Amino acid sequence: MRGKRRNHLPEFKAKVALAAIKGDRTLAELSEQFDVHQNEIQDWRKQLRDHADTVFGSGQEYKTADEAHLKDLHAKIGALALENDFLAKAPGR
């Protein structure tokens, strides 16, 4: 029977990934120290390397993209609400 699946906090993942990036210990040593499988450590290290640019970025690029997407969604909601109102008043209902 399998045990309960563990969920790790982002702070813990960052701590383990940073320790892996340092390179002063092997994956086996880190795995034993943090009680985490070596594949998870490799995945977290890769995620940290791939997304490290967002840590120091202003986030403005993402904010403007989110605002544009939100504006499109609001327009779509408005159009669907208008269509629902029109169809609710249609004869034969």
Side-chain angles (χ1 to χ4, degrees), residues 13-48:
K13 292 178 183 180
K15 179 180 170 182
V16 174
L18 285 173
I21 287 176
K22 279 184 188 176
D24 57 348
R25 285 177 271 159
T26 65
L27 284 176
E29 293 171 340
L30 292 171
S31 176
E32 186 176 322
Q33 177 186 352
F34 294 109
D35 191 30
V36 176
H37 196 273
Q38 294 177 18
N39 290 344
E40 282 186 311
I41 296 173
Q42 287 178 328
D43 290 343
W44 296 342
R45 179 176 58 188
K46 184 178 182 323
Q47 288 175 7
L48 181 62

